[in-house]
Amino acid sequence: MANIEGLELTNEWDKTFPKSEKVNHSKITFRNRYGITLAADMYVPKNSVSKFAAIAVCGPFGAVKEQSAGLYAQTMAERGFLTIAFDPSFTGESGGTPRYMASPDINTEDFQAAVDFLSLQENVDPKRIGIIGICGWGGLALNTAAIDTRVKATIASTMYDMSRVNANGYFDDDDSEAARYEKRQALNAQRIADCKNGSYELGGGVVDPLPEDAPFFVKDYHAYYKTERGYHSRSLNSNGGWNKIGCMSFLNQPILRYSNEVRSAVLIIHGEKAHSCYFSKDAFANMMNGNPCPENKELLIIPGAVHTDLYDRTNIIPFDKMEQFFSDYLK
């Protein structure tokens, strides 16, 4: 599909990972149902077949396709799948204004629009499409699986439930009506300030320089987003972050409400030592509660791994398992 919103797409290789010689890479665009044009990298195996199984990849939350999502997409393409890694609405090279906003509805739609795009490709079998969501996009991938019956297999890696963390705080430490009321007051005061200023104030990305007393999970993020390992100039987390009100609607909109009605295959992967592991454990338990198809669901805990290990540590990310999962359920 042509670049239909006049987006500026970078053609040179500017990823945080090396380019593979086993796949063909190109930039593509597609439009979601809200009229926002999304930018993506497409990876196609060089050992071409008439019809590929295809996978759409997104995440982490506040990252861009040149980071973890692209690594996942390129690696799965090396293993025989046609893949795309896309920037969500309002971020990266994708369209949408104002910038640096997030929405449980629009971001779920981003995944569905990716499925639309893949379904229309001549070299893709529309009945063999899966998705991968990383970090906050793991939860959004599960939400997509709950609404989109075209998605035959879903992987959520090092998952965040963005509704839960926005409403309850980290580790559910702010899970009370009073705490949520205080958050709502602050966010609505910020709306007035933004309206007066005619611009949106950024919340700040990963803290830098790193305070000596920073909790481990902040150090973990810093080690990825603020170093050569994972820094990217278009990444929100590497730079100024989301707008302060950018994730406001997640407070009131739980995204995993109907996850226990997902009939298609789901693999949830998380590191044992990740601060965020409780999101995946609880999401899996809730998904299995009365699920009509429990036999194709799995929770895989990676011993010793922390949250960002599953962003880019290719010796830790279980790509063999992921390849087998998609081979089994996209056939």
Side-chain angles (χ1 to χ4, degrees):
M1 184 179 291
N3 183 350
I4 47 184
E5 199 176 307
L7 303 181
E8 294 185 9
L9 303 181
T10 303
N11 289 314
E12 64 267 18
W13 189 263
D14 63 344
K15 323 300 184 193
T16 60
F17 51 92
K19 186 175 184 179
S20 172
E21 298 304 319
K22 298 178 182 179
V23 303
N24 292 316
H25 165 262
S26 61
K27 302 297 278 277
I28 57 98
T29 61
F30 55 94
R31 182 174 286 181
N32 70 17
R33 81 173 195 264
Y34 293 105
I36 299 170
T37 303
L38 304 183
D41 288 293
M42 177 183 285
Y43 301 90
V44 182
K46 286 186 175 179
N47 56 332
S48 184
V49 298
S50 58
K51 295 284 186 179
F52 288 103
I55 303 168
V57 189
C58 194
F61 200 81
V64 287
K65 64 188 180 303
E66 290 76 18
Q67 296 172 307
S68 180
L71 172 64
Y72 272 67
Q74 180 176 259
T75 304
M76 296 311 295
E78 289 179 325
R79 291 164 180 259
F81 303 91
L82 185 150
T83 66
I84 60 172
F86 65 90
D87 285 328
S89 295
F90 313 114
T91 67
E93 292 185 313
S94 287
T97 56
R99 305 301 289 169
Y100 314 136
M101 291 292 184
S103 160
D105 180 25
I106 295 175
N107 294 148
T108 299
E109 163 61 20
D110 289 344
F111 255 135
Q112 292 195 267
V115 175
D116 293 342
F117 171 82
L118 291 172
S119 297
L120 297 181
Q121 301 311 297
E122 291 184 357
N123 57 348
V124 169
D125 182 346
K127 295 182 179 179
R128 300 165 63 210
I129 295 176
I131 59 176
I132 299 173
I134 307 161
C135 184
W137 279 83
L140 288 162
L142 293 182
N143 194 44
T144 303
I147 199 170
D148 199 326
T149 56
R150 300 170 302 170
V151 175
K152 302 306 180 186
T154 299
I155 291 179
S157 180
T158 197
M159 190 199 90
Y160 258 53
D161 177 345
M162 294 308 300
S163 294
R164 182 175 177 180
V165 74
N166 276 280
N168 299 350
Y170 281 98
F171 315 112
D172 297 328
D173 286 347
D174 297 326
D175 184 13
S176 71
E177 182 275 337
R180 277 186 287 276
Y181 184 77
E182 187 174 332
K183 288 180 186 178
R184 292 175 181 127
Q185 281 189 308
L187 287 166
N188 284 294
Q190 185 64 50
R191 290 183 69 104
I192 296 297
D194 290 344
C195 191
K196 286 181 178 178
N197 295 333
S199 62
Y200 293 93
E201 187 172 338
L202 295 177
V206 175
V207 62
D208 187 54
L210 191 66
E212 290 185 8
D213 61 348
F216 173 76
F217 74 92
V218 175
K219 294 178 180 177
D220 189 27
Y221 284 132
H222 187 279
Y224 181 77
Y225 287 109
K226 291 293 188 176
T227 70
E228 290 185 5
R229 173 185 165 197
Y231 177 83
H232 197 280
S233 60
R234 289 191 295 274
S235 169
L236 283 70
N237 293 339
S238 289
N239 297 283
W242 297 94
N243 294 330
K244 284 189 173 179
I245 65 165
C247 300
M248 183 176 183
S249 60
F250 280 97
L251 261 168
N252 279 29
Q253 299 182 46
I255 57 175
L256 302 182
R257 173 64 180 83
Y258 295 106
S259 63
N260 67 335
E261 297 181 4
V262 176
R263 297 188 182 187
S264 56
V266 176
L267 172 61
I268 299 178
I269 305 167
H270 222 111
E272 175 195 17
K273 300 297 185 182
H275 71 279
S276 50
C277 193
Y278 70 101
F279 288 124
S280 283
K281 289 179 177 178
D282 290 353
F284 182 77
N286 292 334
M287 182 175 61
M288 296 299 286
N289 184 21
N291 194 291
C293 301
E295 67 282 353
N296 58 8
K297 312 291 190 295
E298 183 178 353
L299 173 64
L300 176 63
I301 302 297
I302 308 300
V306 299
H307 185 82
T308 67
D309 282 343
L310 296 184
Y311 283 9
D312 65 337
R313 303 300 194 197
T314 54
N315 61 326
I316 294 176
I317 301 169
F319 283 120
D320 288 345
K321 172 70 175 182
M322 294 167 63
E323 177 185 354
Q324 187 62 56
F325 171 79
F326 282 124
S327 296
D328 288 343
Y329 292 108
L330 299 183
K331 61 183 181 180

